[in-house]
Amino acid sequence: MPPFEHPIDYLFAAEAAAALGHAGRKLRKALDALNKFDQSPRSHSRRTREEFVEDAAEAFWSYVVQREQFGLMDADYIATEYRVPEDVQRAMGPKGLRKK
């Protein structure tokens, strides 16, 4: 017996998997940008470190939430695997709802 009851469920699963992959790539990109800034803070970037942390914190939150939708309650694993800095973990959440 197939794992899905209806053929369209395969399409939904594929979309969910694609969204999860996108969220993981977005987290990696945000963390890479933060690391690059940390290595050369006097670069030509007009952004502050706080802005990079905010972007990474939102991407981390988004990825964790999407994984939780699949029953993967593993934020600590993700933080370790992606080497998410402590300040990013503490700031985790959507930008619009965080306190300044």
Side-chain angles (χ1 to χ4, degrees):
M1 176 180 255
F4 299 112
E5 194 171 313
H6 302 287
I8 197 163
D9 291 340
Y10 286 102
L11 296 174
F12 292 138
E15 284 296 318
L20 184 60
H22 175 74
R25 288 186 299 278
K26 185 176 179 180
L27 173 58
R28 175 78 288 151
K29 184 177 178 182
L31 291 171
D32 288 348
L34 175 59
N35 288 332
K36 183 177 179 182
F37 179 85
D38 284 347
Q39 291 173 3
S40 182
R42 293 194 175 115
S43 68
H44 299 290
S45 175
R46 294 181 181 169
R47 299 179 70 200
T48 65
R49 186 175 193 284
E50 182 178 293
E51 291 172 309
F52 284 103
V53 168
E54 286 179 357
D55 288 347
E58 184 171 54
F60 179 51
W61 170 77
S62 178
Y63 189 51
V64 168
V65 168
Q66 286 193 26
R67 288 180 62 87
E68 287 177 353
Q69 291 295 313
F70 288 100
L72 302 170
M73 310 303 211
D74 56 1
D76 292 336
Y77 169 78
I78 297 304
T80 301
E81 195 66 24
Y82 279 76
R83 295 183 188 100
V84 178
E86 288 291 324
D87 56 344
V88 172
Q89 292 179 51
R90 284 190 303 271
M92 176 182 171
K95 286 183 193 177
L97 299 179
R98 278 197 299 272
K99 296 177 185 176
K100 296 267 179 179

